[in-house]
C-alpha cells in the first residue's frame, strides 16, 4: 500500500485517544527515541497499526508521517492492516528448514489458502513466517498466538488449527 | 535492603546457598526456559503445583535450561543428603511418578526417565564450598551426568548457572558468587585494572566478529563524552539460541557483565537490545533489573559509592540487520535500522553520537567469571588466539540437539559425534553449517578441524554466534544456499547496491538451478557476484552474504553440476529434479505409505510391493519419511 492510499483508507477501528495519550506520554515519556516501542504498544493494543493512530502519534511526538511509515514498514513485526484473531508464526529458520519446516508451511498455505503475511477472509488466522524463535531443538516449530507446537509434521498441522477459533 | 559491602552480599548468599544445595524438604527444579515450556514444562509444573499444593515437604521451583533440549522437559529432584537426580522428558503425565519415585527412593521403575545423577552441583565459581554431594551414597546403575557423552566434554563458564538457579531470584545468583566480582572491582576502584584483566584474558566477542573485548573497552574508555554500554541481544542467526538461554536462565550474569564494563569504561547508562521474538527473556530481564535496583546494585550511588549505572531494555521489531552494531544503535534511537559505514568507530561515536561499547550477551556473561578466577585461568582454556569456551547450539539433523559449551579448539567431530551423538536414523553426514546465514557449509573432510575463530575462517566459514546446523544426506546444498540467500535478501536493508542487487541476482540464479532451469556458466556467475559483494558491500551483512554460496560451491560443486547438467537433485529436495519410486525388493507391502499419502497416490495390495502414481504424487515426502524399510527411493 502506498502512503497516500494508507492515509485514505477509512478505518473501522475506534481509536481511544485518551488511552493513546497514556501510552505515548506515561509509558514512553513522549520521547522520539521510543518510537519503535510506542508502535509496538499500539500494535499490542489494536493488533495492528491503525493509520489514524499513527497520524495522531506523528503530531504528538513531532516525527513526520513519512518517517513513521518508514519505520513501520522496515521492521517486519509491524502490520498496517488488521490481522486475524489467531496469529500463526511458522518458523522458517535454518534448523526448522532442514527438518522440513517448508513442508509445514506449504501445508498451512494450502489449508488456509493464504500466503505469508496474509489473513484469512473470516479473520480467523494470519500467517506470518519468522526466522527462528529460539526453540530449534523442537523443530519444525509453529507458534500460534502464545502456544508453541514443536516437532510438528505437515500431516499433523490441520488438527492443531482446529484448536483455534 | 541496599547492599553496601561484600559482607552484606555474603550474608544473603549464605542463606540462599542452603536453599539451592540443602533444601528443607524435596526440591523439584523444572527447566522453564522457552524451549522447556514449549516441550511441556509449564503443564508439568502446573500439575506438580496442583498435586503438592498442601504438601509443605515438596517445593516446586523453576530454573533455566541446562542445555540438553532434546530431552526436555528436564526436571531435577534433590533433597539434603540424597542424590540429585535429573529426569528427562517429564511431561505432565510423568512428573508425579518421578517425584513420588524419588521420595520413595525407587529409581528402577522409571529408569527410562532418568538422565543421570549429579556428582557435583557446584559451578566453577562456587567450588570453594564443600561439594554438597560428598558422602552421599550414589544410586546404583544410574550414570553420573558428568560422565554421559553429552556433558563430559563440556565446561560451563557463560552458562555456569543456567539450569541450576531460579532466574527470577537474585539471591540464588548471589549464592552462586554473583555480583562479587563487580563489588570487589567497585570497592577497589581501579577501572584500568578491570580492563587490563579482560584484555589479558584474551576474551573475544561472542556475537560474531570475535573482536577482543578488552581492546574495545580500552578504546571506548579513551574517548570523552557520555559513554554508553550496550548489550546486543538481538540474536538473529536462525538456529542459534544461546543468548536466549542465558538471558532466560541467568539474566544477572549479563547485568553483572555490563556493570563491570560500565565500571571499567566509565559509563552511567546501559541498554539491552532484545529481539522481539524473545518475550520471556524480556520478562526475566525486567524482573532481574528491578531486583538489582532494589538491592542498590543498579541505579544511583551503587553500594554507597559515587558510581551510578542504569540499564534500560529496548526491544527489536524483527529486523536481522539490527544485530549489526551501527544498525542496532540507529534502531535504539527509534530510527530505521540501516547500518552506516564505520569510518568512525562506534567506540568513538556510536549511540547518540557518543562513545559506545557494544558487546554480545555471551561476552558479558563471561566477564564476572574472568574477574573472579583471573585472566590466567581463562587463558588456560582454548587455543592460541581463541581463549576460553564457546557455547554452540547443536541443531538440525543431530541426535542430541541442545546447547553445548566447550573449550575452544575441540574438533567438529567431537562436537557432532561424541557430544551430539551423531546423525539420526543412520543417515550420512553431509555438512555442518556454522556462523549463521553468513557462515559457511563445512564438509566431512574437515570434521577434524579444531573449532576456533581462525580455523573456521580458513575453510571459508565463520564462528559467528555459534550456531551449528548439522545436515545429512537429505539436505540439498543448492537449496540450502538458496535458502540463506533468500533470507538475506529479505533482511538486507537495501541501501547499498552490491548487497541489494547482488542478493537478488544470486537468488534468481539459484532459484533457476533448483527449478531445473540452470545453465552452463551459472556457477561462475555466482562466484563473480559473490566476490563483488564481498569487496564492495557497506556492512557485514553484505560482505559475508555470499559465504554460504561460495563455500557450498567450493565443497559441493558436483551437486550444483548435477542440478544444472543432469537436472537431478539427489537429496530429494528440489521438486522438479527428482521423483519417488518404491523399490519392489525392499517394500514388504505394510501399506503404511498408502495410508499416509495425502494424495492417495500409492497403490498396492497388502503384503505386496506398492507403486507410486507419478501423475498424482506431489512429492510431499511423507511416504519417504514414514517408510520403515527404506523402500522409497529418490530417483
Ligand atoms: C548482519 C549482522 C548481524 C549481526 N547480528 C548479531 C546478533 O544478532 N547478535 C550479536 O551479538 N551480534 C551480531 N552481529 C555482530 C555485531 O555487529 C557486533 O559485532 C557484536 O555484537 C559485538 O559484540 P561482541 O564483540 O561481544 O561479539 C551482527 C553483525 C552483522 C553484520
Ligand atoms: S551491505 Fe546490505 S545490509 Fe549492509 S548496508 Fe548494504 S544493503 Fe544494507
Ligand atoms: S530455526 Fe526454528 S526455532 Fe530456531
Amino acid at each position: 500500500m502506498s502512503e497516500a492510499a494508507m492515509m485514505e483508507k477509512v478505518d473501522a477501528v475506534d481509536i481511544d485517544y485518551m488511552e493513546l495519550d497514556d501510552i505515548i506520554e506515561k509509558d514512553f515519556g513522549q520521547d522520539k527515541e521510543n518510537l519503535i516501542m510506542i508502535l509496538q504498544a499500539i500494535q499490542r493494543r489494536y493488533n495492528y497499526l491503525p493509520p489514524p493512530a499513527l497520524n495522531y502519534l506523528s503530531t504528538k511526538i513531532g516525527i513526520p508521517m513519512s518517517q513513521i511509515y518508514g519505520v513501520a514498514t522496515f521492521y517486519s513485526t509491524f502490520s498496517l492492516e488488521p490481522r486475524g484473531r489467531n496469529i500463526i508464526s511458522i518458523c522458517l529458520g535454518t534448523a526448522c528448514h532442514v527438518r522440513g519446516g517448508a513442508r509445514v508451511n506449504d501445508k498451512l498455505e494450502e489449508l488456509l489458502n493464504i500466503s505469508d503475511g496474509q489473513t484469512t477472509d473470516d479473520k480467523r488466522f494470519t500467517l506470518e513466517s519468522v526466522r527462528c524463535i529460539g526453540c530449534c531443538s523442537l523443530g519444525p516449530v509453529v507458534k500460534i498466538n502464545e502456544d508453541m507446537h514443536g516437532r510438528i509434521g505437515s500431516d499433523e498441522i490441520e488438527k492443531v488449527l482446529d484448536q483455534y477459533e | 535492603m541496599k547492599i553496601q559491602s561484600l559482607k552484606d552480599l555474603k550474608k544473603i548468599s549464605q542463606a540462599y546457598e542452603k536453599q539451592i544445595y540443602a533444601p528443607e524438604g524435596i526440591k523439584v527444579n523444572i527447566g522453564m526456559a522457552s524451549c522447556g515450556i514449549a516441550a511441556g514444562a509449564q503443564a508439568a509444573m502446573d500439575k506438580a503445583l496442583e498435586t503438592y499444593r498442601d504438601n509443605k515437604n515438596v517445593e516446586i521451583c523453576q530454573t533455566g535450561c541446562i542445555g540438553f533440549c532434546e530431552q526436555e522437559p528436564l526436571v531435577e529432584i534433590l533433597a539434603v543428603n540424597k542424590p540429585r537426580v535429573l529426569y528427562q522428558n517429564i511431561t505432565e503425565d510423568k512428573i508425579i511418578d518421578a517425584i513420588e519415585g524419588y521420595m520413595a527412593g525407587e529409581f528402577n521403575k522409571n529408569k527410562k526417565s532418568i538422565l543421570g545423577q549429579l556428582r557435583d552441583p557446584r559451578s566453577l565459581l562456587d567450588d570453594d564450598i564443600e561439594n554438597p554431594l560428598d558422602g552421599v551414597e550414589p544410586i546404583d546403575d544410574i550414570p553420573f551426568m558428568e560422565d554421559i557423552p553429552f556433558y563430559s566434554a563440556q565446561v560451563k563458564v557463560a552458562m555456569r548457572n543456567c539450569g541450576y538457579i531460579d532466574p527470577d531470584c537474585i539471591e540464588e545468583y548471589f549464592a552462586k558468587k554473583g555480583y562479587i566480582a563487580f563489588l570487589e572491582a567497585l570497592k577497589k576502584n581501579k577501572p584500568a585494572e578491570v580492563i587490563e584483566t579482560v584484555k589479558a584474558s584474551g576474551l573475544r566477542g561472542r556475537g560474531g566478529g570475535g573482536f577482543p573485548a578488552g581492546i574495545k573497552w580500552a578504546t571506548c574508555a579513551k574517548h570523552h563524552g557520555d559513554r554508553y554500554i550496550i548489550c546486543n541481544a538481538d540474536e538473529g542467526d536462525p538456529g542459534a539460541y544461546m543468548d536466549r538461554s542465558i538471558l532466560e536462565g541467568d539474566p544477572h550474569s549479563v547485568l553483572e557483565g555490563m556493570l563491570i564494563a560500565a565500571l571499567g569504561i566509565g559509563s552511567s547508562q546501559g541498554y539491552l537490545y532484545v529481539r522481539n521474538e524473545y518475550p520471556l527473556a524480556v520478562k526475566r530481564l525486567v524482573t532481574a533489573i528491578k531486583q538489582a535496583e532494589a538491592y542498590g546494585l543498579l541505579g544511583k550511588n551503587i553500594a554507597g559509592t559515587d558510581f551510578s549505572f542504569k540499564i534500560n531494555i529496548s526491544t527489536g521489531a524483527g529486523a536481522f540487520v539490527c544485530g549489526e552494531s551501527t544498525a542496532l544503535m540507529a534502531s535504539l534511537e527509534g530510527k530505521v535500522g540501516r547500518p552506516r559505514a564505520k569510518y568512525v568507530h562506534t567506540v568513538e561515536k556510536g549511540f547518540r553520537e557518543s562513545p559506545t561499547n557494544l558487546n554480545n550477551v555471551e561476552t558479558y556473561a563471561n566477564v564476572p567469571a574472568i574477574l573472579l578466577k583471573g585472566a590466567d585461568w581463562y587463558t588456560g582454556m582454548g587455543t592460541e588466539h581463541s581463549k576460553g569456551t564457546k557455547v554452540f547450539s547443536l541443531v538440525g539433523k543431530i541426535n542430541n540437539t541442545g546447547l553445548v559449551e566447550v573449550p575452544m579448539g575441540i574438533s567438529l567431530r567431537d562436537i557432532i559425534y561424541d557430544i551430539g551423538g551423531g546423525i539420526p536414523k543412520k543417515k550420512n553426514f553431509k555438512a555442518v553449517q556454522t556462523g549463521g546465514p553468513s557462515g559457511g557449509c563445512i564438509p566431512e573432510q574437515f570434521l577434524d578441524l579444531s573449532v576456533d575463530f581462525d580455523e573456521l575462517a580458513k575453510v571459508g566459514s565463520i564462528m559467528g554466534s555459534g550456531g551449528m546446523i548439522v545436515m545429512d544426506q537429505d539436505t540439498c546444498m543448492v537449496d540450502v544456499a538458496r535458502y540463506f540467500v533468500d533470507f538475506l535478501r529479505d533482511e538486507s536493508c537495501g541501501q547499498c547496491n552490491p548487497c541489494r542487487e547482488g542478493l537478488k541476482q544470486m537468488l534468481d540464479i539459484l532459484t533457476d538451478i533448483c527449478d531445473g532451469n540452470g545453465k552452463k556458466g551459472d556457477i561462475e556467475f555466482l562466484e563473480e557476484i559473490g566476490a563483488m559483494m564481498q569487496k564492495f558491500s557497506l556492512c557485514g551483512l553484505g560482505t559475508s552474504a555470499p559465504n554460504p554460496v561460495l563455500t557450498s560451491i567450493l565443497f559441493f560443486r558436483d551437486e550444483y553440476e548435477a542440478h544444472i547438467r543432469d537436472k537431478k537433485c539427489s537429496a530429494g529436495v528440489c521438486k522438479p529434479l527428482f521423483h519417488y519410486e518404491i523399490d519392489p525388493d525392499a517394500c514388504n507391502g505394510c501399506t503404511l505409505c498408502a495410508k499416509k499419502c495425502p494424495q492417495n497416490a500409492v497403490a498396492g495390495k497388502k503384503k505386496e510391493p506398492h507403486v507410486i502414481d507419478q501423475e498424482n504424487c506431489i512429492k510431499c515426502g511423507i511416504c519417504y519419511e514414514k517408510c520403515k524399510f527404506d523402500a522409497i527411493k529418490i530417483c
Side-chain angles (χ1 to χ4, degrees):
Chain A
M1 216 185 334
S2 76
E3 192 182 335
M6 182 186 94
M7 312 281 246
E8 272 167 24
K9 197 171 168 188
V10 191
D11 218 270
V13 73
D14 278 329
I15 309 286
D16 179 344
Y17 289 96
M18 301 285 277
E19 187 191 42
L20 200 55
D21 266 348
D22 271 357
I23 295 179
I24 301 169
E25 288 168 17
K26 283 211 194 96
D27 299 350
F28 296 102
Q30 210 166 332
D31 187 346
K32 287 182 191 176
E33 270 186 5
N34 290 334
L35 175 62
I36 294 170
M37 288 198 283
I38 297 174
L39 293 177
Q40 282 167 338
I42 296 176
Q43 179 150 315
R44 264 197 302 280
R45 168 66 180 77
Y46 293 100
N47 204 15
Y48 77 114
L49 297 176
L54 300 188
N55 268 325
Y56 185 77
L57 174 65
S58 164
T59 23
K60 180 101 191 169
I61 57 173
I63 298 181
M65 197 55 196
S66 56
Q67 201 176 321
I68 293 186
Y69 184 72
V71 168
T73 50
F74 181 85
Y75 295 98
S76 67
T77 47
F78 296 126
S79 171
L80 293 166
E81 282 168 39
R83 300 188 299 167
R85 294 190 295 282
N86 300 293
I87 313 283
I88 306 176
S89 310
I90 162 93
C91 181
L92 297 179
T94 325
C96 291
H97 179 75
V98 300
R99 287 198 186 176
R103 287 195 186 131
V104 183
N105 189 41
D106 288 349
K107 187 76 193 178
L108 276 170
E109 294 194 345
E110 181 201 315
L111 285 170
L112 301 172
N113 200 17
I114 49 176
S115 54
D116 189 9
Q118 294 182 333
T119 302
T120 53
D121 288 339
D122 61 2
K123 295 269 181 294
R124 186 166 160 213
F125 290 112
T126 294
L127 182 63
E128 289 178 351
S129 69
V130 291
R131 310 275 190 166
C132 193
I133 336 182
C135 291
C136 323
S137 51
L138 296 170
V141 178
V142 175
K143 190 170 135 197
I144 304 183
N145 306 329
E146 292 311 310
D147 313 330
M148 207 74 90
H149 302 274
R151 299 203 177 106
I152 192 118
S154 54
D155 51 338
E156 295 159 342
I157 189 74
E158 192 167 2
K159 253 210 235 111
V160 174
L161 292 186
D162 289 345
Q163 300 167 20
Y164 298 89
E165 255 322 295
Chain B
M1 174 202 158
K2 302 272 180 206
I3 289 175
Q4 301 286 340
S5 63
L6 277 165
K7 224 163 119 194
D8 291 348
L9 186 63
K10 278 193 183 137
K11 222 189 271 158
I12 306 169
S13 66
Q14 267 160 6
Y16 280 84
E17 231 169 63
K18 208 168 159 300
Q19 172 160 325
I20 53 178
Y21 291 127
E24 298 276 338
I26 306 275
K27 191 166 190 275
V28 180
N29 285 333
I30 305 181
M32 291 276 287
S34 300
C35 41
I37 294 174
Q42 182 70 56
M45 180 169 225
D46 292 345
K47 176 87 189 182
L49 283 172
E50 168 74 36
T51 310
Y52 299 103
R53 201 174 32 203
D54 302 319
N55 188 341
K56 291 238 156 48
N57 194 39
V58 180
E59 193 190 353
I60 313 288
C61 309
Q62 64 163 4
T63 63
C65 171
I66 57 163
F68 206 167
C69 306
E70 184 71 34
Q71 307 298 350
E72 276 181 313
L74 290 162
V75 173
E76 189 201 17
I77 309 182
L78 62 136
V80 74
N81 290 329
K82 283 216 181 160
R84 290 175 71 129
V85 183
L86 199 73
Y87 293 78
Q88 56 189 350
N89 300 314
I90 299 299
T91 37
E92 125 194 56
D93 51 326
K94 295 197 196 127
I95 188 154
I96 306 303
D97 272 356
I99 299 174
E100 292 294 322
Y102 183 89
M103 287 200 283
E106 166 66 74
F107 301 104
N108 258 330
K109 210 173 77 203
N110 39 16
K111 212 164 171 183
K112 261 223 235 89
S113 307
I114 296 179
L115 183 63
Q117 57 182 324
L118 265 71
R119 183 176 283 131
D120 183 353
R122 298 170 301 171
S123 78
L124 51 94
L125 294 189
D126 65 352
D127 56 5
D128 56 334
I129 61 165
E130 205 181 310
N131 179 2
L133 291 177
D134 269 355
V136 175
E137 189 69 31
I139 313 163
D140 284 342
D141 277 350
I142 301 270
F144 283 104
M145 289 280 294
E146 288 86 346
D147 298 336
I148 65 172
F150 184 79
Y151 283 108
S152 59
Q154 293 201 47
V155 181
K156 304 229 177 187
V157 182
M159 296 214 306
R160 56 193 176 275
N161 297 326
C162 291
Y164 291 96
I165 60 171
D166 179 352
D168 285 335
C169 178
I170 189 172
E171 294 85 0
E172 292 194 7
Y173 181 70
F174 292 158
K176 288 282 199 178
K177 299 285 186 283
Y179 288 107
I180 292 182
F182 164 65
L183 270 186
E184 275 178 354
L186 179 68
K187 295 290 173 184
K188 234 182 184 176
N189 195 18
K190 293 214 172 88
E193 252 178 45
V194 171
I195 296 185
E196 272 319 306
T197 308
V198 177
K199 245 192 202 168
S201 75
L203 173 68
R204 291 171 69 171
R206 300 301 195 235
F211 192 82
I215 297 179
K216 198 190 273 184
W217 292 18
T219 335
C220 187
K222 265 198 257 156
H223 292 289
H224 296 284
D226 291 330
R227 300 185 199 94
Y228 293 101
I229 301 294
I230 298 180
C231 175
N232 188 346
D234 197 42
E235 192 157 67
D237 289 2
Y241 60 100
M242 57 289 289
D243 294 353
R244 172 184 69 66
S245 194
I246 294 173
L247 295 173
E248 289 177 356
D250 192 21
H252 287 286
S253 65
V254 181
L255 301 186
E256 191 184 356
M258 290 177 73
L259 269 164
I260 293 169
L263 187 68
I265 294 167
S267 160
S268 57
Q269 177 67 55
Y271 286 89
L272 259 152
Y273 186 86
V274 192
R275 182 162 190 244
N276 187 48
E277 288 83 349
Y278 289 174
L280 184 63
V282 172
K283 194 167 148 248
R284 298 227 165 118
L285 280 168
V286 170
T287 306
I289 290 174
K290 280 193 189 141
Q291 289 175 346
E293 282 171 351
Y295 276 112
L297 292 169
L298 275 175
K300 282 215 160 64
N301 300 106
I302 295 173
T305 65
D306 56 10
F307 175 68
S308 304
F309 188 61
K310 198 166 168 284
I311 298 181
N312 288 15
I313 298 176
S314 191
T315 50
F320 172 73
V321 72
C322 285
E324 196 275 343
S325 51
T326 57
L328 186 149
M329 289 170 201
S331 182
L332 264 185
E333 292 170 9
K335 298 179 188 145
V336 164
R338 285 201 192 95
R340 63 161 176 79
K342 291 191 203 162
Y343 308 115
V344 182
H345 286 286
T346 49
V347 283
E348 186 182 344
K349 274 192 178 149
F351 180 59
R352 294 180 183 155
E353 297 280 303
S354 292
T356 307
N357 179 74
L358 175 131
N359 282 118
N360 164 265
V361 170
E362 192 187 328
T363 315
Y364 283 124
N366 271 300
V367 169
I370 292 173
L371 254 62
L372 272 188
K373 305 270 292 185
D376 287 344
W377 161 78
Y378 199 71
T379 53
M381 294 178 291
T383 60
E384 191 183 350
H385 297 295
S386 305
K387 298 299 181 193
T389 57
K390 173 81 191 89
V391 185
F392 294 99
S393 64
L394 203 49
V395 296
K397 303 290 187 72
I398 183 97
N399 276 315
N400 301 335
T401 12
L403 292 177
V404 302
E405 182 166 3
V406 287
M408 299 263 196
I410 185 171
S411 78
L412 279 171
R413 189 183 300 281
D414 287 348
I415 297 181
I416 293 168
Y417 285 95
D418 292 350
I419 299 177
I423 319 294
K425 298 188 194 162
K426 298 207 182 94
K427 303 243 171 166
N428 296 326
F429 170 88
K430 187 180 248 178
V432 53
Q433 210 272 349
T434 69
S438 37
C441 302
I442 303 171
E444 175 127 40
Q445 76 232 50
F446 293 113
L447 272 183
D448 290 309
L449 192 86
S450 75
V451 180
D452 73 6
F453 286 102
D454 313 302
E455 291 299 309
L456 286 173
K458 278 188 201 154
V459 290
S461 188
I462 52 172
M463 173 84 84
S465 53
M468 269 195 190
I469 295 133
V470 180
M471 300 169 183
D472 68 2
Q473 65 196 61
D474 293 339
T475 315
C476 165
M477 297 318 288
V478 187
D479 172 72
V480 165
R482 190 182 61 105
Y483 167 82
F484 283 119
V485 170
D486 183 38
F487 173 90
L488 292 163
R489 187 204 45 116
D490 243 9
E491 297 296 344
S492 160
C493 83
Q495 70 174 324
C496 76
N497 243 319
C499 169
R500 185 186 63 233
E501 296 303 322
L503 282 165
K504 187 175 176 313
Q505 292 304 322
M506 274 195 174
L507 181 63
D508 287 349
I509 298 170
L510 288 164
T511 306
D512 275 351
I513 298 179
C514 292
D515 286 347
N517 300 323
K519 347 178 250 310
K520 205 166 164 265
D522 277 354
I523 300 179
E524 291 72 20
F525 196 27
L526 283 172
E527 288 174 323
E528 199 179 315
I529 300 173
M532 175 280 293
M533 290 173 64
Q534 286 178 329
K535 260 206 197 106
F536 301 113
S537 298
L538 181 74
C539 86
L541 189 150
T543 53
S544 61
N547 288 353
V549 180
L550 297 179
T551 54
S552 60
I553 292 178
L554 189 63
F555 299 126
F556 301 94
R557 199 179 181 105
D558 49 344
E559 237 176 89
Y560 278 81
E561 277 166 359
H563 276 67
I564 296 170
R565 198 184 49 222
D566 317 330
K567 311 288 175 207
K568 282 273 169 250
C569 174
S570 58
V573 174
C574 302
K575 285 189 182 175
L577 302 185
F578 77 97
H579 64 272
Y580 290 114
E581 276 175 24
I582 298 181
D583 177 354
D585 295 333
C587 176
N588 66 1
C590 76
T591 74
L592 184 64
C593 57
K595 275 192 208 124
K596 291 282 175 188
C597 175
Q599 293 292 102
N600 284 328
V602 189
K605 290 206 183 94
K606 215 173 172 175
K607 296 198 176 154
E608 280 174 28
H610 284 44
V611 183
I612 297 176
D613 171 7
Q614 300 297 339
E615 290 285 297
N616 272 330
C617 172
I618 52 167
K619 299 177 190 170
C620 68
I622 289 179
C623 57
Y624 180 77
E625 273 167 27
K626 300 281 169 187
C627 180
K628 296 195 175 78
F629 307 99
D630 249 345
I632 315 277
K633 300 288 170 208
I634 296 161
C635 299

